[in-house]
């Protein structure tokens, strides 16, 4: 190797070494510059993030303040609405109170008018009495004058003059005083009859509404408007379903939070009451659910009737009573006789008849049995003709009660003459019960009989599924089978029912509603 090559190698080696050093120095400077640039970028991003976080925080605070203002405004509006509603309820309450006070004042004025009329009657009677006394005085004066005249002119004895005066006086009374007295008496009778009718009419008008409401309605208290809305349903469909299924009239009391069930049959009212309680507790209220619950309640009520009948027979120590009679007897728990619970009356009469028969040393159980079954005819289907005593006797005979028991049932109300000691004891027990004050109330039974007759007339037509007399007998609702009765036929059916009601029931106006409903049911599998 020559010097040139060596110099070249040294130069190359030195250049490479210097290049590597320069490259390393450049790399170090570049890395430091990148680190400074990265720090600046990191600082910038951090500052930007902090600024964005501050902006979001401010925006959230503004939104929170807006939400608080909005909620405060909404709460104030709700409070204002509640205050208005409370004010409206207060005004309604004041209006109702004012109306009641007005009615009270009106009744008070009516009583004052009656008192004034009675005072006028007293004055008139006093005037008539004074007039009669004046006529008596005139009679005495005329008698004295006639006696003196006869004694002076006819030269008669005192006895003869007396007889002659009596004869003349009789003729005078017949000719003058008697017609006047008769006229006054007739006038008094007419005025007293009109007055008594007015007094009785006012008394009946004041008390009839309360008595009818008590006998034919049941009131349910609801917890709030939400529950009331569920009972009403969309466009009142739930109320219609309850009325059609139970046969009662459902009335919603505005502002009272209550439901009034109106029907003359207490069993229907009990079924409707229990069903509504179940529906409210369950929360699901719609027509299909209503029908399902009503059917379950009917089954339970009929089971309860059977249990009540068995319990009554067990308490009175009566055995071998036919199951059908026990069921009929249990149904009396929901019936009334003379305004009182029919089953309670039957038990009281049974105990009384048993005590009487025991004191006489005869069969006590037989008297209890006859007295207990005396009014089972009240719970027999209304389509069976005859008085409740005849129907009850026929029912007892049908289910193999002894002939003396059957005859005692038949003659308990003296419609048939009593023949045996048992007949007289049952009659005596019934008459003692009838003598209790405030027991006479046969109008309720005749009213119920008319309502059942109206239902029976409607059920007699072809295509009718069932019918219900509601609104105290002012309306009869008739449910017809849509497959048998068309829309046009339902119009004719309604007309035929009205005509038959007019012929057979002579009472107030009755509205007949024929309801034809079509249902389509499918099952998804």
């Amino acid at each position: 190797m020559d010097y040139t090559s060596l110099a070249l190698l040294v130069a190359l080696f030195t250049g490479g070494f210097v290049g590597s050093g320069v490259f390393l120095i450049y790399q170090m400077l570049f890395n430091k510059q990148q680190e400074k640039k990265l720090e600046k970028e990191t600082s910038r991003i951090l500052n930007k993030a902090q600024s964005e976080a501050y902006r979001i925080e401010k925006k959230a605070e503004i939104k929170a303040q807006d939400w608080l203002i909005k909620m405060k405004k909404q709460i104030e509006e709700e409070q204002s609405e509640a205050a208005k509603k409370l004010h409206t309820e207060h005004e309604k309450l004041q209006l109702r109170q004012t109306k009641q006070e007005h009615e009270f004042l009106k009744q008070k004025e009516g009583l004052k008018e009656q008192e004034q009329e009675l005072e006028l009657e007293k004055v008139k009677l006093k005037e008539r009495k004074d007039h009669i006394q004046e006529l008596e005085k005139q009679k005495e004066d005329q008698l004295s004058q006639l006696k003196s005249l006869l004694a002076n002119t006819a030269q008669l004895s005192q006895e003869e003059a007396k007889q002659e005066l009596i004869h003349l006086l009789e003729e005078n009374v017949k000719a003058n005083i008697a017609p006047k007295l008769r006229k006054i008496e007739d006038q008094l009778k007419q005025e007293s009859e009109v007055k008594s009718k007015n007094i009785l009419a006012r008394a009946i008008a004041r008390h009839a509404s309360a008595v009818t409401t008590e006998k034919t309605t049941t009131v349910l208290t609801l917890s709030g408007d939400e529950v009331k809305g569920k009972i009403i349903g969309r466009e009142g469909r739930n109320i219609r379903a309850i009325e059609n299924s139970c046969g009662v009239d459902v009335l919603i009391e505005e502002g009272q939070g209550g439901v009034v069930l109106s029907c003359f049959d207490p069993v229907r009212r009990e079924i409707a009451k229990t069903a509504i309680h179940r529906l409210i507790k369950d929360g699901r209220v719609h027509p299909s659910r209503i029908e399902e619950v009503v059917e379950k309640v009917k089954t339970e009520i009929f089971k309860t009737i059977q249990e009540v009948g068995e319990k009554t027979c067990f308490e009175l120590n009566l055995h071998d009573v036919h199951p059908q009679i026990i069921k009929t007897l249990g149904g009396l728990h929901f019936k009334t006789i003379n305004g009182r619970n029919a089953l309670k009356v039957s038990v009281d009469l049974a105990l009384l008849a048993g005590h009487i028969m025991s004191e006489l040393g005869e069969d006590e159980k037989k008297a209890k049995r006859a007295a207990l079954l005396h009014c089972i005819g009240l719970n027999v289907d209304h389509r069976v003709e005859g008085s409740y005593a005849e129907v009850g006797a026929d029912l007892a005979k049908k289910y193999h009660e002894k002939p003396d028991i059957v005859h005692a049932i038949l003659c308990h109300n003296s419609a048939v003459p009593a023949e045996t000691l048992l007949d007289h004891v049952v009659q005596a027990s019934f008459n003692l019960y009838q003598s209790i004050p405030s027991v006479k109330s046969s109008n309720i039974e005749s009213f119920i009989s008319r309502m059942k007759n109206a239902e029976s007339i409607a059920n007699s037509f072809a295509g009718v599924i069932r019918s219900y007399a509601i609104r105290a007998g002012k309306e009869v609702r008739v449910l017809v089978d849509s497959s048998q009765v068309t829309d046009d036929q339902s119009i004719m059916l309604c007309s035929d029912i009205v005509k038959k009601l007019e012929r057979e029931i002579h009472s107030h106006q009755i509205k007949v509603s024929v309801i034809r409903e079509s249902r389509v049911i499918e099952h998804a599998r």
Side-chain angles (χ1 to χ4, degrees):
M1 181 179 299
D2 56 3
Y3 178 79
T4 303
S5 298
L6 181 62
L8 182 60
L9 289 172
V10 170
L12 288 172
F13 179 77
T14 304
F17 180 76
V18 172
S20 297
V22 172
F23 178 76
L24 289 173
I25 293 169
Y26 175 78
Q27 186 71 30
M28 290 175 63
L29 292 174
F30 181 77
N31 289 339
K32 287 182 179 181
Q33 188 177 2
Q34 289 295 323
E35 287 178 358
K36 289 181 180 180
K37 188 176 180 181
L38 183 61
E39 287 178 357
K40 289 181 180 180
E41 185 67 20
T42 303
S43 177
R44 186 182 66 79
I45 293 172
L46 182 61
N47 292 332
K48 185 178 180 180
Q50 289 177 349
S51 176
E52 185 69 18
Y54 179 77
R55 186 180 63 79
I56 293 172
E57 183 179 359
K58 287 295 184 181
K59 188 176 180 181
E61 288 180 357
I62 293 171
K63 286 186 177 180
Q65 289 178 356
D66 292 341
W67 183 80
L68 287 174
I69 293 171
K70 185 177 179 181
M71 290 302 296
K72 185 177 180 181
K73 185 177 179 180
Q74 183 177 355
I75 291 171
E76 290 176 352
E77 290 177 354
E78 291 179 354
Q79 289 178 347
S80 176
E81 184 178 355
K84 289 180 181 178
K85 188 174 181 181
L86 181 63
H87 180 69
T88 303
E89 293 294 332
H90 182 67
E91 288 181 348
K92 288 183 180 179
L93 182 62
Q94 286 183 341
L95 182 62
R96 192 179 300 109
Q97 184 177 2
T98 303
K99 185 177 180 181
Q100 291 177 350
E101 290 177 355
H102 178 69
E103 292 179 354
F104 175 75
L105 291 174
K106 188 175 180 181
Q107 293 178 357
K108 189 175 180 181
E109 290 176 358
L111 291 175
K112 286 183 179 179
E113 290 178 0
Q114 293 180 9
E115 291 178 358
Q116 291 176 358
E117 290 176 0
L118 290 174
E119 290 294 332
L120 290 174
E121 289 294 329
K122 288 182 180 179
V123 172
K124 289 181 181 179
L125 289 174
K126 186 177 180 181
E127 291 177 353
R128 289 172 185 142
K129 185 177 180 181
D130 294 339
H131 181 65
I132 292 172
Q133 289 178 353
E134 184 178 352
L135 292 176
E136 291 289 340
K137 186 177 180 181
Q138 291 178 1
K139 180 191 72 173
E140 294 294 334
D141 294 339
Q142 290 176 1
L143 180 62
S144 178
Q145 292 175 4
L146 287 173
K147 183 177 179 181
S148 174
L149 180 63
L150 287 174
N152 293 329
T153 57
Q155 300 294 324
L156 298 175
S157 64
Q158 187 174 0
E159 186 65 28
E160 292 174 348
K162 183 177 180 181
Q163 294 296 328
E164 187 67 21
L165 284 173
I166 291 172
H167 179 68
L168 292 174
L169 182 60
E170 289 178 354
E171 292 181 355
N172 190 20
V173 168
K174 290 179 181 179
N176 298 314
I177 300 176
K180 293 181 180 180
L181 291 175
R182 190 179 301 110
K183 184 178 180 181
I184 293 172
E185 183 180 357
D186 293 339
Q187 187 177 359
L188 281 173
K189 285 182 179 180
Q190 293 177 0
E191 293 180 358
S192 62
E193 184 177 357
V194 173
K195 184 66 178 176
S196 62
K197 287 180 179 179
N198 289 333
I199 293 173
L200 288 174
R202 290 173 184 172
I204 291 170
R206 289 177 62 189
H207 296 285
S209 176
V211 172
T212 303
T213 301
E214 180 183 355
K215 299 292 183 184
T216 61
T217 61
T218 299
V219 179
L220 298 179
T221 303
L222 303 181
S223 57
D225 292 338
E226 183 181 356
V227 177
K228 186 190 294 185
K230 287 184 178 180
I231 295 299
I232 296 174
R234 184 188 304 171
E235 298 178 355
R237 65 174 187 175
N238 291 344
I239 286 183
R240 290 195 297 272
I242 294 172
E243 291 177 341
N244 295 338
S245 299
C246 302
V248 301
D249 195 16
V250 182
L251 307 174
I252 302 296
E253 291 186 339
E254 293 294 337
Q256 299 294 328
V259 172
V260 178
L261 306 176
S262 176
C263 178
F264 67 89
D265 191 339
V267 178
R268 294 185 198 166
R269 296 203 306 272
E270 183 66 22
I271 291 172
K273 175 183 175 182
T274 306
I276 290 175
H277 279 309
R278 295 263 182 95
L279 291 168
I280 292 173
K281 186 176 180 180
D282 182 53
R284 295 177 295 165
V285 186
H286 50 82
S288 299
R289 178 62 178 167
I290 289 170
E291 292 180 358
E292 179 184 351
V293 172
V294 168
E295 290 300 323
K296 289 182 179 179
V297 171
K298 284 182 179 179
T299 303
E300 294 175 2
I301 291 293
F302 295 145
K303 183 179 179 181
T304 301
I305 288 174
Q306 184 74 22
E307 292 175 353
V308 169
E310 293 175 354
K311 182 180 178 182
T312 302
C313 294
F314 178 77
E315 290 176 351
L316 294 175
N317 197 21
L318 299 178
H319 306 290
D320 300 328
V321 181
H322 195 277
Q324 187 61 37
I325 292 183
I326 291 177
K327 181 179 178 181
T328 306
L329 187 65
L332 295 178
H333 177 67
F334 297 99
K335 301 291 183 179
T336 59
I337 179 171
N338 294 332
R340 303 177 75 183
N341 185 279
L343 182 60
K344 180 66 168 58
V345 170
S346 299
V347 173
D348 291 343
L349 261 65
L351 294 174
L352 180 59
H355 292 159
I356 295 174
M357 192 67 88
S358 177
E359 292 293 330
L360 295 174
E362 298 293 335
D363 190 352
E364 178 181 354
K365 288 187 177 180
K366 185 178 290 186
K368 283 185 177 180
R369 195 181 192 101
L372 179 65
L373 303 180
H374 83 282
C375 66
I376 56 173
L378 288 174
N379 198 34
V380 177
D381 194 297
H382 59 277
R383 288 172 289 187
V384 179
E385 297 182 357
S387 66
Y388 78 92
E390 294 173 349
V391 174
D394 292 340
L395 182 67
K397 183 178 180 180
K398 178 180 178 181
Y399 293 109
H400 313 297
E401 289 291 332
K402 294 181 179 179
D404 51 354
I405 300 291
V406 174
H407 193 267
I409 295 172
L410 182 63
C411 69
H412 77 273
N413 57 356
S414 302
V416 176
E419 298 177 356
T420 64
L421 176 62
L422 179 62
D423 296 345
H424 287 289
V425 169
V426 175
Q427 268 191 15
S429 302
F430 183 78
N431 292 332
L432 286 172
Y433 162 74
Q434 291 287 338
S435 65
I436 299 175
S438 302
V439 163
K440 293 288 185 179
S441 179
S442 59
N443 289 333
I444 297 295
E445 279 68 33
S446 61
F447 168 77
I448 293 175
S449 177
R450 289 197 302 272
M451 297 306 97
K452 289 184 176 180
N453 191 21
E455 290 184 351
S456 178
I457 290 173
N459 290 331
S460 64
F461 288 86
V464 175
I465 301 175
R466 58 181 179 272
S467 62
Y468 299 111
I470 60 176
R471 294 179 57 204
K474 295 180 181 178
E475 181 179 355
V476 177
R477 292 188 179 177
V478 183
L479 305 181
V480 299
D481 188 352
S482 59
S483 62
Q484 298 182 18
V485 181
T486 64
D487 288 337
D488 295 334
Q489 290 174 343
S490 64
I491 297 174
M492 298 301 299
L493 176 63
C494 184
S495 178
D496 294 340
I497 294 174
V498 168
K499 291 178 181 178
K500 191 169 182 180
L501 288 172
E502 289 176 351
R503 288 197 308 268
E504 300 187 12
I505 299 181
H506 303 283
S507 62
H508 55 272
Q509 183 178 1
I510 301 176
K511 175 183 176 182
V512 178
S513 302
V514 175
I515 301 172
R516 180 178 179 271
E517 182 180 20
S518 299
R519 294 191 181 187
V520 178
I521 300 174
E522 293 287 346
H523 296 280
R525 295 183 177 85

